[in-house]
Amino acid sequence: MRCSFCGSELPENATVCHDCGMTIVNDAASMNFENSEIMDERGPDKGKVLGLVSMILAIVALVVGLILSCTCACGSILPGIVAIAALVLAIVALVLSKKSGYGNGKAVVAIILSIVSIVAMIVLIVLNVILTPILKVFLLELMNEIY
């Protein structure tokens, strides 16, 4: 008989492998893994897909928000709304995963990215609202001096 873990030759009545220390299963029925089903008592992870979706939304909101905020003051509003939706979805995904007995790293990442995106959008909107009139005045004065 051989150890199913390390392959060492063992006596027929061995219960523990002398090389690797693993417990030896002698019952032929218990060694038939094809017919045995390993059931997870936790059930399916109900928040896994939702966590992935929320993470993708959070990334899109952050990237698109940063790009659009360079063009106009209102360019950060839509990505900010998407970031809020991603935050809500991520929280729901995390709660569903926790209730199923799982962790959900994607939902945690989505929560962090959504919060960063929301804060960035607020800062960019405020900066656009404050800086736009100042820049207009500065550019007008500069143009008057040139012409």
Side-chain angles (χ1 to χ4, degrees):
M1 178 171 82
R2 291 196 170 275
C3 173
S4 59
F5 298 99
C6 69
S8 297
E9 187 66 38
L10 301 172
E12 287 300 319
N13 60 351
T15 57
V16 176
C17 176
H18 56 80
D19 284 341
C20 68
M22 297 299 290
T23 303
I24 305 302
V25 180
N26 288 329
D27 186 14
S30 65
M31 292 186 67
N32 188 0
F33 293 113
E34 291 177 11
N35 295 332
S36 66
E37 254 183 65
I38 301 172
M39 294 298 294
D40 194 352
E41 296 172 3
R42 298 180 292 185
D45 184 0
K46 296 178 181 176
K48 183 178 181 180
V49 174
L50 196 57
L52 180 63
V53 169
S54 63
M55 186 176 74
I56 292 170
L57 276 177
I59 292 170
V60 168
L62 185 61
V63 171
V64 171
L66 291 175
I67 292 170
L68 289 180
S69 67
C70 297
T71 59
C72 64
C74 61
S76 298
I77 294 173
L78 182 61
I81 293 170
V82 173
I84 292 170
L87 179 62
V88 170
L89 287 176
I91 292 170
V92 169
L94 190 61
V95 168
L96 287 174
S97 291
K98 292 289 182 187
K99 283 184 179 179
S100 299
Y102 293 90
N104 195 335
K106 292 179 182 86
V108 173
V109 169
I111 290 170
I112 293 168
L113 285 176
S114 296
I115 292 171
V116 167
S117 182
I118 291 167
V119 169
M121 298 310 126
I122 291 170
V123 167
L124 290 172
I125 288 171
V126 169
L127 285 177
N128 276 329
V129 168
I130 292 172
L131 291 180
T132 302
I134 295 171
L135 286 174
K136 281 184 181 178
V137 169
F138 174 73
L139 290 174
L140 283 174
E141 288 178 5
L142 185 64
M143 288 176 67
N144 286 335
E145 287 180 14
I146 292 174
Y147 295 110

